Amino acid sequence: MKKSVFLKITSSQYEEKLQPNGEAFVRELELEDSIEICTEGVLYDKENATYILYEESKEMGMENMKTLLKLKDEELHIRRYTKEADDDMDMVLKQGMLNITRYKAPMLPGMDIEIYTNKMQHELDDEGYGTIYVDYKIKFDQIFSRRNILEIEVKPTESLSIKGGGKA
């Protein structure tokens, strides 16, 4: 059964800097950008996985784009797509795993990126409510490297459950 959920999605991007600390260095994170999005989505379970589907916002330049989150075991798969195949993006986030994927952002050409997941955890209850937390490093070729922290809070909405099947 599908049900409506409220999503609070926070994505923070940090620059990593090495700072001297005695004879060694410590890695410090300096916040560069943070975005918080509150939206409604649909949550459902299928084949031992939890799925969350939501539409991206026009304000972010992602009109007609949907994002599908698939949480199975200790892996988060994020797929952003439109009807046009060249706008698709797939990311697989699993602690300790390096993933290379194609990324398309509004107003930018597609590019290959490396994603290394430092930490991935979730605390979703049996109803699918709770939080998903991912700390990952993203690298575009040799020119851009940032640390991202993604937090997704899933809460119930006051609307009734949506019955029916269908593919997302």
Side-chain angles (χ1 to χ4, degrees), residues 3 21 25 47 103 120 122 126-127 149-150:
K3 59 184 166 186
N21 186 12
F25 289 87
E47 298 174 7
Y103 182 76
M120 205 297 285
H122 65 89
D126 292 340
E127 296 292 316
I149 295 180
L150 175 65

Side-chain angles (χ1 to χ4, degrees), residues 7-8 15 23 49 55-56 58 63 66-67 73 92 102 112-113 122 127-128 134 142 145 148:
L7 303 170
K8 179 180 169 186
E15 182 178 358
E23 294 182 23
E55 291 188 26
E56 293 288 348
K58 286 184 218 179
E63 191 173 7
K66 294 183 180 188
T67 296
D73 301 321
V92 179
R102 190 101 176 126
D112 290 332
I113 59 171
H122 65 89
E127 296 292 316
V134 188
Q142 300 298 321
S145 179
N148 289 0

Side-chain angles (χ1 to χ4, degrees), residues 4 11 13-14 16 23-24 32 34 44 66 77 80 85 88 90 97 108 111 115 121 125-126 137 139:
S4 293
S11 179
Q13 189 173 79
Y14 299 86
E16 288 184 313
E23 294 182 23
E32 280 196 338
S34 187
Y44 59 96
K66 294 183 180 188
H77 186 149
R80 186 175 292 146
D88 287 3
D90 282 300
M97 185 176 93
L108 293 175
M111 58 187 81
I115 301 166
Q121 67 185 41
D125 63 18
D126 292 340
K137 189 171 190 171
K139 184 177 171 184

Side-chain angles (χ1 to χ4, degrees), residues 5 7 9 37 39-44 50-57 60 62-70 76-83 87-91 93 103-104 132 150 152 168:
V5 291
L7 303 170
I9 303 166
I37 299 167
T39 188
E40 286 193 24
V42 175
L43 180 137
Y44 59 96
T50 299
Y51 291 83
I52 301 169
L53 177 67
Y54 65 94
E55 291 188 26
E56 293 288 348
S57 72
M60 299 295 291
M62 295 193 237
E63 191 173 7
N64 300 320
M65 190 169 286
K66 294 183 180 188
T67 296
L68 179 65
L69 307 173
K70 176 185 175 185
L76 178 65
H77 186 149
I78 302 173
R79 179 170 181 250
R80 186 175 292 146
Y81 62 95
T82 63
K83 291 181 181 179
D87 285 341
D88 287 3
M89 181 216 52
D90 282 300
M91 290 173 51
L93 301 164
Y103 182 76
K104 174 94 170 90
I132 301 169
L150 175 65
I152 303 166

